[in-house]
Amino acid sequence: MASAFGHAALGATLGKLLLPNRRHWPYWIAAGICAALPDVDSVGYRLGVPYDSIWEHRGLTHSLLAAVVVAAIGTLLAQLARPGQRPATGRLALLLFLATASHGLLDALTTGGLGVAFFSPWHLERYFFPFRPIRVSPLSIRSFFGAKGLRVLASETIWVGLPCLLLLGWQALWPFSNRRRPAWH
């Protein structure tokens, strides 16, 4: 798996890209949380759930179905916000879906584990991408704050952090590179 830092960075970046108005910053944070949320399944290690189970790490919580469910719940919860402070419902649903689904995509780019069950519960096969440049993160916090964790963070800086910064930089320059802003801003 990628680290929670890498997942959250990508989720928050998606939030800023899809909801660029500064008043929507709480949704950037929500997207970062949604991006890290699928790793809640790692509690299964401590409970003795077999690793290749649908309920274990990179199983159901990493699926596209889980991303749809998280997006639906998050979008419903956002309806509790004041109307002037919440973004368009469709845009928010898309953000929360993409942020949650990005978790599995990053994990499929890592160097370890059994792969990601993107189509769980209907299809239990697990997948990796052919290109896997991100170092797999240790599962224990103690192991993360050592040499292994530093290697993971260095890898994520290159393969997650740098692309996120480039996208945010592109977004910041976009209004200046084209006189007319797209309608979706």
Side-chain angles (χ1 to χ4, degrees):
M1 73 179 176
S3 75
F5 301 111
H7 288 302
L10 180 53
T13 298
L14 290 170
K16 175 71 171 89
L17 292 173
L18 290 172
L19 301 174
N21 191 308
R22 286 182 190 232
R23 78 172 191 266
H24 292 137
W25 68 266
Y27 298 99
W28 306 347
I29 294 170
I33 292 168
C34 285
L37 185 63
D39 275 342
V40 71
D41 64 7
S42 61
V43 74
Y45 289 126
R46 300 221 189 268
L47 300 175
V49 177
Y51 186 45
D52 60 351
S53 164
I54 188 175
W55 303 109
E56 186 45 91
H57 188 57
R58 294 186 176 172
L60 186 61
T61 63
H62 286 58
S63 71
L64 295 173
L65 173 64
V68 167
V69 170
V70 168
I73 292 170
T75 303
L76 286 173
L77 288 174
Q79 298 306 309
L80 299 174
R82 287 187 219 147
Q85 293 180 333
R86 63 180 178 237
T89 302
R91 184 174 293 268
L92 178 61
L94 176 64
L95 168 61
L96 298 180
F97 170 77
L98 291 175
T100 308
S102 75
H103 188 106
L105 298 176
L106 281 186
D107 279 4
L109 290 168
T110 64
T111 58
L114 292 180
V116 179
F118 289 115
F119 307 108
S120 178
W122 300 284
H123 184 66
L124 301 181
E125 187 171 346
R126 293 173 182 239
Y127 299 90
F128 278 114
F129 293 124
F131 181 63
R132 296 168 54 191
I134 300 173
R135 304 280 306 229
V136 70
S137 180
L139 290 175
S140 76
I141 293 172
R142 184 175 295 153
S143 296
F144 185 80
F145 290 104
K148 288 181 183 178
L150 288 175
R151 285 192 294 270
V152 169
L153 291 176
S155 171
E156 288 180 358
T157 298
I158 294 167
W159 298 105
V160 180
L162 187 58
C164 286
L165 288 174
L166 290 172
L167 286 168
L168 291 171
W170 174 77
Q171 182 188 44
L173 295 174
W174 176 256
F176 303 108
S177 65
N178 186 350
R179 289 180 186 252
R180 190 170 154 233
R181 295 183 80 174
W184 55 272
H185 276 280

